[in-house]
Amino acid sequence: MRMKHLQISSLCAVAAVSTACSTIVEGTEQSVAVNTDPTGAECRLDRDGETLGVVNPTPGSVTVSKGRQNINVFCSRDGFEDGAGTLPSEFQTMTIGNAVFGGIIGLGVDAASGAINEYPDSILVHLRREAEVEEQEPENGGAPMS
């Protein structure tokens, strides 16, 4: 009887440790490449009002924690209008296998750790050149025309 109890306990321990498949295999963080057109901009990555990282200058990469919320990317460069983009949080397909083999416990661990989600590997933000305002003098030196 004691041996049977030990075997069941060991099996439960192995199952509990190995159920968070996405968390173990894919991790709870990932690297994202940030590019701008043109290059040389400063980009800030925010999620839920918190700055996750800054790339300065572009191109570059930053490691972010995975989560359910999208990441907003704000870029700026002198002489250009600010640009923005979004890294959408996407469901990681590996989680389906975890639900089948690891059960609800593994799925819960992956969801709590953020490993159930992933972001695209890169983002490209286009920056438009600022419109140059030219003050034009009237050709006649500003005198009213008659």
Side-chain angles (χ1 to χ4, degrees), residues 23-37:
T23 301
I24 293 168
V25 175
E26 297 293 327
T28 59
E29 295 182 330
Q30 75 174 89
S31 181
V32 175
V34 180
N35 298 295
T36 56
D37 179 28

Side-chain angles (χ1 to χ4, degrees), residues 33-57:
V34 180
N35 298 295
T36 56
D37 179 28
T39 61
E42 177 178 342
C43 296
R44 187 182 79 242
L45 287 76
D46 292 350
R47 181 177 54 212
D48 287 341
E50 176 186 348
T51 298
L52 302 176
V54 174
V55 173
N56 186 18

Side-chain angles (χ1 to χ4, degrees), residues 19-98:
T19 56
C21 192
S22 292
T23 301
I24 293 168
V25 175
E26 297 293 327
T28 59
E29 295 182 330
Q30 75 174 89
S31 181
V32 175
V34 180
N35 298 295
T36 56
D37 179 28
T39 61
E42 177 178 342
C43 296
R44 187 182 79 242
L45 287 76
D46 292 350
R47 181 177 54 212
D48 287 341
E50 176 186 348
T51 298
L52 302 176
V54 174
V55 173
N56 186 18
T58 59
S61 63
V62 64
T63 300
V64 297
S65 60
K66 295 179 182 180
R68 290 183 315 169
Q69 297 80 19
N70 295 341
I71 295 176
N72 298 309
V73 181
F74 303 100
C75 300
S76 62
R77 180 178 168 190
D78 288 341
F80 292 84
E81 294 180 9
D82 292 349
T86 301
L87 289 163
S89 177
E90 300 170 345
F91 179 76
Q92 191 165 318
T93 55
M94 177 176 276
T95 306
I96 294 170
N98 188 23

